[in-house]
Amino acid sequence: LFFLSFSAQAEKISQINISGNNTISRGTVLNSLLYEVGDNVEEINLTQMIKSLYQTGFFKDVGINFKNGELNINLIENPIIKYIDILDYDDGEVLSIENLDLMKKNFKFEAGKTFIEREYKKFLNVIKELYKYNGFYNLSIEEKFDLDEENRSGITLKISENEKALITSFNFSGNSFFSDSDIVDFFE
């Protein structure tokens, strides 16, 4: 969601007011903007400014209001990751502590980092695909988020691997050229 309010004619920015940034510095926000004090503002560029702030991944919501030369930016930050617990997986079968740590690092899904939903969903999808690739088609992952009053989120993922799918037998039909045992050798 975003909110945009704009007066009809182009004006110069005389002041930039930022609210809602508790962990993200004012400087970081200003570096993401397309404008600075003294610039002329047009409506189309304000939309780009909102996109630019969203693309940082730091914000859940961005509102911009420009009136009488004042550019007011209202932000709601994404939470900071407090902890990540991944429970009940069989260490080494599909996941290991080492590859989970590497995956968390690659997706910037670590304690102290900003929680970015799209990265979290990618992380979760990789885990699900790894399990599918290894024959665990009935995997379920219970997700629990614990958001505190300081906008820090603890995340617990409880993995239920369930039974691994195994092929116990198969039959061949319509083949008259190869023996069944010759065909089975191709699968071993």
Side-chain angles (χ1 to χ4, degrees):
L1 289 175
F2 69 87
F3 175 76
L4 175 65
S5 176
F6 184 83
S7 65
Q9 59 193 29
E11 296 182 53
K12 284 190 185 241
I13 299 173
S14 62
Q15 185 174 339
I16 299 175
N17 303 311
I18 302 170
S19 64
N21 58 318
N22 298 313
T23 57
I24 307 302
S25 72
R26 176 179 172 81
T28 299
V29 174
L30 290 173
N31 285 336
S32 300
L33 299 179
L34 304 173
Y35 296 108
E36 55 188 42
V37 172
D39 289 345
N40 284 324
V41 177
E42 298 173 16
E43 182 173 6
I44 192 159
N45 291 334
L46 287 176
T47 302
Q48 282 301 112
M49 188 183 309
I50 289 169
K51 286 181 185 177
S52 176
L53 287 167
Y54 271 120
Q55 286 175 346
T56 65
F58 295 136
F59 307 107
K60 186 181 340 184
D61 194 16
V62 176
I64 294 182
N65 176 296
F66 182 75
K67 192 171 185 178
N68 299 325
E70 286 191 19
L71 181 62
N72 297 299
I73 301 169
N74 301 305
L75 305 167
I76 297 176
E77 294 178 343
N78 281 322
I80 300 299
I81 299 170
K82 184 169 38 173
Y83 63 84
I84 303 160
D85 287 336
I86 301 176
L87 308 173
D88 296 345
Y89 64 93
D90 186 11
D91 189 20
E93 175 80 21
V94 175
L95 298 176
S96 67
I97 292 172
E98 293 81 20
N99 70 13
L100 275 173
D101 287 343
L102 184 60
M103 287 170 46
K104 287 190 248 182
K105 184 176 183 171
N106 287 338
F107 285 98
K108 298 179 178 133
F109 189 58
E110 301 173 284
K113 301 280 187 184
T114 301
F115 176 81
I116 301 172
E117 180 128 9
R118 68 180 176 268
E119 293 301 316
Y120 167 71
K121 289 188 185 285
K122 288 178 191 176
F123 174 80
L124 211 53
N125 193 48
V126 166
I127 290 175
K128 290 175 182 177
E129 289 302 315
L130 278 171
Y131 272 96
K132 266 191 213 174
Y133 180 78
N134 284 281
F136 291 91
Y137 300 106
N138 294 317
L139 172 78
S140 65
I141 301 176
E142 181 183 325
E143 305 168 56
K144 182 180 175 195
F145 295 89
D146 179 26
L147 187 65
D148 68 17
E149 62 281 345
E150 294 175 10
N151 201 29
R152 296 178 304 170
S153 183
I155 301 162
T156 303
L157 302 176
K158 186 175 179 184
I159 296 176
S160 297
E161 294 175 342
N162 297 313
E163 292 295 316
K164 185 175 185 175
L166 299 173
I167 298 172
T168 56
S169 68
F170 51 94
N171 298 315
F172 301 101
S173 63
N175 171 46
S176 59
F177 188 72
F178 294 102
S179 71
D180 286 354
S181 63
D182 286 342
I183 294 174
V184 169
D185 289 342
F186 286 117
F187 292 97
E188 293 179 345

